[in-house]
Amino acid sequence: MNLKSHQLFFRRFTDLYRPFIQKTSEALSEVGLTLPQWSALRLIAEQEGMTPAELAARQFVEKPSVSRTIQQLLEIGLIETRQGQDRRAKQILLTDDGRNVYNGASAIIEKLEREVIGDIPEHEQNAMSERFTEMQRRL
């Protein structure tokens, strides 16, 4: 069966994505995080003070899914919330423990990413990143 180039691209993407997510989950378990917890923690670290609704939008998930993850992160002391300027919306912030766990998990994930990327030149990595961003905008 001859696949068209776009079909082959997405087959390869799927072939990479699933095992990468599995390896990422295994790596995160070393610091006691699940993949959804890491995803939320990473986004909060990158933009502290976001609301649960903003976090849900950034993760492309429904607010109830984010609410569960936020509750888990609150219970283990990695985040805290405070009242925003709009009293209906709470802002999410990392705690000191949350920042420490984020830093540790980031180092673990960076190591995995470097192993997977191998010797692909930086300019090719940048080009692929740009293409992924273009495709994401089309969704």
Side-chain angles (χ1 to χ4, degrees):
M1 174 179 191
N2 288 336
L3 297 173
K4 296 176 182 171
S5 60
H6 71 276
Q7 292 172 315
L8 182 60
F9 174 86
F10 282 103
R11 298 299 188 289
R12 295 296 174 256
F13 177 81
T14 302
D15 292 346
L16 170 65
Y17 177 79
R18 288 188 178 137
F20 179 74
I21 291 301
Q22 182 178 355
K23 290 279 189 188
T24 301
S25 292
E26 291 168 8
L28 289 170
S29 70
E30 294 177 28
V31 292
L33 291 175
T34 64
L35 194 58
Q37 290 169 340
W38 165 246
S39 177
L41 199 66
R42 178 184 61 82
L43 291 169
I44 295 164
E46 291 172 0
Q47 184 186 332
E48 282 202 74
M50 73 171 61
T51 66
E54 291 168 335
L55 181 59
R58 294 271 315 272
Q59 290 185 297
F60 299 97
V61 298
E62 298 295 321
K63 196 172 173 214
S65 296
V66 164
S67 295
R68 282 190 297 275
T69 302
I70 289 170
Q71 188 59 41
Q72 293 167 348
L73 294 172
L74 282 166
E75 288 172 4
I76 57 178
L78 301 183
I79 62 169
E80 60 188 6
T81 60
R82 72 172 176 216
Q83 215 54 50
Q85 290 182 355
D86 177 351
R87 290 186 171 238
R88 294 170 295 170
K90 292 183 178 176
Q91 293 181 316
I92 309 167
L93 307 161
L94 291 181
T95 62
D96 289 341
D97 284 345
R99 188 155 314 285
N100 290 336
V101 169
Y102 168 77
N103 289 336
S106 290
I108 290 168
I109 297 303
E110 182 176 359
K111 181 178 184 261
L112 173 62
E113 291 169 345
R114 287 185 183 279
E115 288 171 5
V116 172
I117 208 78
D119 62 354
I120 296 174
E122 190 172 335
H123 71 277
E124 288 184 32
Q125 295 174 45
N126 291 336
M128 286 188 285
S129 293
E130 289 173 17
R131 297 304 168 265
F132 285 139
T133 300
E134 289 173 21
M135 289 185 288
Q136 183 182 22
R137 284 189 200 122
R138 293 184 189 115
L139 293 174

